[in-house]
């Protein structure tokens, strides 16, 4: 095609190889259409007449990846706010959030739970080039038990309100997975325990039986979809790992045995450790009910201890922020907390690039600056290996060879 004939070159004084942690100086990234064709330090290898984008003393690296977002969700205030906003209006907010996220340097997100397949619509509009946003892997409505964290429990029974991913029993959940697949999801999300921001659920308590979790995973994997399980409590985490999920979301109550189980099964832990700070400082002003603030107080400290323990034990941990709980576009704020609570800066970079790419099984497309992969490139002014918080100030964003921010 004509697009693939377009060649451009991006260069800067420094380029970070996120796999080795090496900083390469004065390298040129040659881009053919939407993919990287070559990376070279030899100027004579560059095609003649090429457009060179020189970012001077910047540090180039692959676009960031967040494995837990809700783009079609405004700030978590209270569970009644959603009653006054139509699903259509919410998607328009999602379009704005998608752009903010991309401009913050996130070229890939995994969006885990949206009603009405709003996330599928947003993903498709982005992929069709109609609106700017990150590449999205989407789950559609999250599966959950009746009355659980992924149900809508605010109204009394006469309203007959329930979330559109509610399913019970092994065959009920299989049917729900099939329905989500039918309408275009990339992965399956389910709620294995109670949660912080739902009404009437106990944060550490298991939801779904092992049999139901196994049915979800079997059905999803049969259809080539990975599975993400929301799980704070230890039993729910263990059941989900045993059932074969690909990632545990939140992962708050971990012990040694559970961490070892995750390592044995290769289960990835996605831990949103920045949220506590945000919710405990801003939640009350935002109108978060006392019930939910209380649950946040229960899990916050223990989750950060679990994070340290998991990192020190060599478990796989990825960046998963739950953006939407705090403002979209602030995703990178979690990286400095990941370093504060035990990761090296390189581990944090990998948790936001190559590890998510492996979780999504998208290694052939994203996660590194490497020939053959998409030209998803960001630039920052400082070396993130020396100061990880520089990733909160991304000043150049390219996705698939198109510049969105410069
Ligand atoms: N969506 C999650 C829940 O409602 C957010 C948890 C946020 N808190 C935390 N400490 N990670 O359960």
């Amino acid at each position: 095609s004509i697009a693939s004939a377009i060649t451009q070159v991006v260069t800067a004084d420094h380029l970070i190889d996120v796999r080795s942690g090496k900083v390469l100086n004065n390298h040129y990234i040659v881009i053919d259409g939407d993919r990287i064709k070559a990376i070279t330090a030899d100027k004579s290898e560059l095609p003649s007449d090429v457009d060179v984008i020189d970012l001077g003393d910047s540090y180039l690296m692959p676009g960031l990846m967040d494995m837990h977002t809700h783009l079609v969700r405004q700030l978590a205030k209270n569970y009644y706010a959603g009653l006054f906003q139509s699903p259509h209006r919410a998607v328009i907010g999602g379009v704005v959030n998608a752009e903010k996220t991309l401009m913050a340097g996130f070229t890939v997100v995994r969006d885990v739970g949206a009603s009405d397949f709003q996330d599928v619509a947003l993903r498709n509009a982005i992929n069709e080039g109609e609106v700017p946003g990150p590449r999205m892997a989407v789950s559609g409505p999250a599966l959950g038990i009746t009355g659980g964290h992924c149900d809508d429990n605010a109204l009394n029974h006469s309203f007959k309100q329930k979330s559109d991913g509610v399913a019970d029993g092994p065959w009920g959940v299989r049917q729900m997975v099939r329905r989500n697949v039918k309408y275009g999801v990339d992965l399956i999300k389910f709620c294995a325990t109670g949660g912080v921001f739902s009404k009437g659920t106990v944060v550490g308590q298991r939801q779904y039986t092992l049999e139901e979790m196994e049915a979800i995973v079997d059905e999803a994997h049969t259809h080539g979809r990975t599975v993400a399980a929301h799980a704070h409590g230890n039993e729910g985490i263990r059941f989900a790992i045993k059932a074969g999920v690909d990632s545990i979301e939140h992962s708050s109550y971990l012990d040694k045995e559970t961490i070892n189980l995750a390592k044995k099964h290769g289960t990835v832990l996605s831990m949103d450790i920045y949220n506590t700070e945000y919710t405990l400082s801003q939640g009350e002003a935002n109108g978060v009910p006392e019930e939910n603030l209380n649950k946040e107080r229960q899990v916050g400290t223990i989750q950060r201890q679990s994070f340290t323990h998991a990192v020190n034990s060599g478990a796989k941990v990825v960046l998963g922020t739950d953006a939407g709980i705090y403002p979209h576009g602030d995703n990178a704020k979690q990286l400095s907390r990941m370093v504060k609570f035990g990761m090296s800066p390189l581990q944090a970079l990998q948790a936001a690039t190559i590890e998510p790419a492996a979780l999504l099984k998208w290694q052939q497309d994203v996660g590194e600056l490497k020939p053959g992969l998409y030209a998803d490139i960001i630039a920052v002014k400082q070396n993130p290996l020396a100061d990880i918080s520089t990733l909160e100030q991304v000043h150049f964003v390219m996705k698939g060879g198109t510049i969105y921010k410069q």
Side-chain angles (χ1 to χ4, degrees):
S1 74
I2 292 184
S4 70
I6 296 170
T7 303
Q8 32 181 357
V9 171
V10 175
T11 189
D13 292 359
H14 319 281
L15 182 154
I16 299 175
D17 177 344
V18 292
R19 193 169 287 279
S20 68
K22 287 204 181 99
V23 179
L24 309 172
N25 293 325
N26 303 311
H27 276 57
Y28 298 86
I29 306 173
V30 181
I31 299 155
D32 187 1
D34 57 2
R35 290 188 185 256
I36 297 170
K37 192 176 182 187
I39 298 178
T40 177
D42 185 353
K43 236 182 152 169
S44 70
E45 282 180 22
L46 299 182
S48 54
D49 286 350
V50 79
D51 175 21
V52 178
I53 302 151
D54 188 344
L55 298 169
D57 59 2
S58 299
Y59 289 77
L60 300 174
M61 60 168 281
L64 298 167
M65 303 173 66
D66 186 340
M67 292 297 96
H68 192 124
T69 66
H70 298 278
L71 292 185
V72 187
R73 194 212 269 161
Q74 306 301 327
L75 269 190
K77 295 190 188 293
N78 65 60
Y79 25 71
Y80 303 103
L83 296 175
F84 307 106
Q85 193 178 54
S86 71
H88 317 90
R89 176 64 187 84
V91 177
I92 294 170
V95 170
V96 176
N97 297 334
E99 181 167 12
K100 279 187 189 160
T101 305
L102 179 63
M103 293 309 168
F106 285 79
T107 51
V108 177
V109 301
R110 192 177 61 153
D111 212 69
V112 283
S115 52
D116 300 290
F117 297 95
Q118 296 160 318
D119 49 357
V120 171
L122 183 57
R123 177 201 66 193
N124 292 352
I126 291 169
N127 288 349
E128 286 159 23
E130 285 183 35
V131 296
R135 303 177 193 285
M136 293 178 76
V138 305
S139 72
L143 276 68
I145 64 164
T146 297
H149 179 67
C150 284
D151 196 0
D152 242 341
N153 311 321
L155 301 176
N156 79 57
H157 75 281
S158 66
F159 287 93
K160 301 188 182 352
Q161 175 67 10
K162 68 170 185 179
S163 297
D164 57 8
V166 169
D168 296 287
W171 288 106
V173 296
R174 282 184 190 272
Q175 187 181 4
M176 193 57 78
V177 169
R178 291 170 188 168
R179 185 209 58 168
N180 282 0
V181 169
K182 170 177 172 177
Y183 293 116
V185 304
D186 302 293
L187 69 136
I188 297 297
K189 156 95 179 282
F190 75 89
C191 283
T193 72
V196 173
F197 284 94
S198 51
K199 184 171 153 65
T201 72
V202 177
V203 101
Q205 207 165 71
R206 179 172 57 79
Q207 299 179 345
Y208 277 132
T209 62
L210 180 60
E211 190 186 7
E212 288 169 309
M213 294 190 204
E214 285 171 344
I216 293 170
V217 173
D218 179 60
E219 197 65 37
H221 285 174
T222 298
H223 295 282
R225 265 64 172 190
T226 55
V227 182
H230 158 107
H232 289 284
N234 190 271
E235 188 185 45
I237 295 172
R238 273 189 283 117
F239 277 33
I241 294 172
K242 283 183 185 156
V245 302
D246 298 275
S247 71
I248 301 286
E249 307 305 303
H250 313 299
S251 320
S252 302
Y253 294 87
L254 295 173
D255 56 21
K256 199 174 178 158
E257 207 186 314
T258 311
I259 290 171
N260 285 337
L261 196 66
K263 284 173 69 178
K264 188 177 134 205
H265 287 257
T267 317
V268 175
L269 306 175
S270 159
M271 303 180 71
D272 52 334
I273 60 167
Y274 168 66
N275 283 328
T276 294
E277 270 173 64
Y278 182 81
T279 299
L280 294 185
S281 63
Q282 309 297 316
E284 202 182 332
N286 287 344
V288 175
E290 189 53 31
E291 177 195 358
N292 309 97
L293 292 175
N294 253 330
K295 292 200 272 185
E296 184 55 62
R297 290 180 198 114
Q298 283 169 41
V299 294
T301 304
I302 191 91
Q303 186 192 37
R304 287 176 295 193
Q305 288 166 355
S306 289
F307 177 86
T308 303
H309 192 172
V311 169
N312 290 343
S313 311
K316 281 188 204 166
V317 181
V318 291
L319 176 71
T321 68
D322 215 348
I325 297 285
Y326 64 86
H328 291 280
D330 281 357
N331 314 56
K333 285 191 177 172
Q334 190 178 303
L335 291 165
S336 62
R337 278 67 176 184
M338 289 163 85
V339 170
K340 179 175 169 191
F341 290 105
M343 279 187 168
S344 68
L346 179 59
Q347 277 179 307
L349 287 190
Q350 292 176 339
T353 54
I354 54 180
E355 295 295 346
L359 173 59
L360 294 173
K361 303 186 195 299
W362 285 5
Q363 305 100 313
Q364 303 310 311
D365 292 320
V366 295
E368 286 182 79
L369 297 180
K370 193 165 101 169
L373 273 57
Y374 284 126
D376 290 0
I377 305 168
I378 62 169
V380 286
K381 285 286 177 202
Q382 311 294 325
N383 183 355
L385 294 169
D387 178 7
I388 193 84
S389 70
T390 188
L391 292 171
E392 293 166 25
Q393 257 118 39
V394 171
H395 69 85
F396 173 85
V397 179
M398 172 182 272
K399 191 191 97 183
T402 300
I403 296 171
Y404 289 89
K405 184 177 190 178
Q406 189 174 5

